[in-house]
Amino acid sequence: MKNTAHTTIIVLNGPNLNMLGVREPEIYGHQTLSDIENLCKDKASQLDLSLDFRQSNHEGELVTWIQQAYGQVLGIVINAAAYTHTSVAIHDALKLHQAVPVVEVHLSDPKTREPFRHHSYIAPLAAAIYAGLGAQGYVKALEFIDKNRKRP
Ligand code: CA2
């Protein structure tokens, strides 16, 4: 039987990212989250990987998904949106995943924005960070996980 832990990447998106394309295109671009999901699906299929793409406005739901992914995925791509800058709970949950790469993604570059966006609770656990590249950051994150995968 195929072991999906070797082939699945989970992509987690935090609060308000479901509103992409609706407001603030000057910061986040014109693509919707569904456009980004399709871009990720195309890249995953090129890499012969499965993709589990999710979004939640709820911190606890993101924490639960991170816990449930333990031992089940090749890597985690996470744009935790505003929770990046506030969530010790997401930091703690991601610590479970020391055996696989966690890649932090942001559409914009938070370091060049308001000071309250400069700190990330995810960065200390991230094997790579892609920020300010728009949707391409997600694609780069998938490529990073693929390049760094441990072949079974
Ligand atoms: O640049 C990113 O990807 C962010 O993670 C986006 C978050 C922000 O809190 C982070 O500092 C950086 C915000 C996502 C909100 O997205 C919206 C999109 C359209 C309309 C309203 C919100």
Side-chain angles (χ1 to χ4, degrees):
M1 202 210 291
K2 201 170 182 187
N3 183 347
T4 57
H6 295 138
T7 55
T8 302
I9 297 179
I10 190 166
V11 181
L12 298 174
N13 294 281
N16 297 306
L17 286 165
N18 54 319
M19 301 306 286
L20 281 177
V22 175
R23 278 201 295 118
E24 304 190 79
E26 66 289 356
I27 302 177
Y28 300 118
H30 289 278
Q31 282 168 305
T32 64
L33 195 61
S34 166
D35 294 333
I36 296 177
E37 178 173 8
N38 286 333
L39 202 65
C40 288
K41 278 193 177 144
D42 287 350
K43 177 47 73 176
S45 115
Q46 268 175 37
L47 298 171
D48 204 19
L49 296 171
S50 304
L51 191 79
D52 184 352
F53 191 97
R54 301 178 187 208
Q55 186 274 336
S56 178
N57 291 326
H58 303 279
E59 185 177 18
E61 188 163 39
L62 291 161
V63 168
T64 298
W65 288 344
I66 294 167
Q67 290 176 2
Q68 288 171 346
Y70 178 62
Q72 304 298 316
V73 294
L74 188 61
I76 300 182
V77 177
I78 183 162
N79 182 351
Y83 290 144
T84 305
H85 317 299
T86 62
S87 181
V88 177
I90 290 177
H91 170 101
D92 286 346
L94 287 171
K95 263 195 179 167
L96 276 172
H97 289 273
Q98 283 171 1
V100 297
V102 171
V103 182
E104 178 177 358
V105 170
H106 298 286
L107 296 160
S108 67
D109 184 356
K111 296 267 190 271
T112 64
R113 299 180 61 192
E114 304 96 320
F116 63 81
R117 297 185 201 275
H118 293 186
H119 179 261
S120 166
Y121 280 97
I122 294 170
L125 303 171
I129 301 173
Y130 296 103
L133 303 175
Q136 278 307 311
Y138 286 77
V139 171
K140 288 198 171 294
L142 297 177
E143 288 172 346
F144 178 91
I145 292 172
D146 178 60
K147 280 204 186 98
N148 288 280
R149 66 200 277 194
K150 295 174 186 76
R151 309 273 162 183

